[in-house]
């Protein structure tokens, strides 16, 4: 079971690498551009990229990112061994 979770975790991480990187980078850039430098138009453009509104995916992109992160968390936590039953003879 652990081997299967590693396989799924690796595949999900590869698939989500670019979307998550884009989300994090544009989120940071929006804050810097809009809040620090008060560039409203550039901030709005970055926000359109952040939500992928520029290619009309703003309704599904956050859901896909969220589902991908939940899958990474589940597979990652399962590999840590935190939820395994320990049978070492002590009670």
């Amino acid at each position: 079971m652990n081997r299967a979770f590693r396989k799924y975790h690796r595949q999900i991480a590869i698939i989500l690498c670019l979307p998550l990187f884009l989300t994090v980078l544009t989120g940071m850039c929006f804050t810097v551009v809009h809040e620090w430098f008060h560039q409203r138009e550039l901030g709005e453009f970055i926000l359109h990229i952040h939500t992928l509104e520029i290619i009309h995916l703003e309704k599904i992109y956050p859901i896909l990112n969220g589902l991908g992160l939940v899958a990474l968390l589940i597979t990652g936590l399962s590999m840590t061994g935190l939820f395994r039953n320990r049978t070492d003879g002590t009670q």
Side-chain angles (χ1 to χ4, degrees):
M1 183 73 135
N2 199 12
R3 186 173 295 183
F5 274 122
R6 283 181 201 219
K7 177 184 169 188
Y8 295 138
H9 188 81
R10 187 178 308 116
Q11 290 172 348
I12 294 167
I14 291 169
I15 292 168
L16 288 178
C17 181
L18 184 61
L20 290 178
F21 182 73
L22 178 71
T23 300
V24 169
L25 186 65
T26 55
M28 291 175 12
C29 286
F30 174 77
T31 301
V32 170
V33 167
H34 188 70
E35 299 295 330
W36 293 3
F37 297 121
H38 306 289
Q39 299 293 318
R40 183 179 170 145
E41 289 94 22
L42 184 56
E44 287 179 10
F45 176 71
I46 291 172
L47 196 57
H48 287 294
I49 295 172
H50 181 73
T51 60
L52 284 189
E53 189 176 339
I54 58 173
I55 55 174
H56 307 291
L57 291 177
E58 68 273 8
K59 293 180 181 176
I60 190 133
Y61 184 65
I63 294 170
L64 294 176
N65 259 351
L67 288 174
L69 282 173
V70 168
L72 281 175
L73 285 171
I74 290 171
T75 56
L77 283 173
S78 71
M79 290 187 296
T80 64
L82 291 173
F83 304 107
R84 280 192 210 129
N85 291 333
R86 305 256 188 241
T87 55
D88 57 0
T90 60
Q91 298 213 14

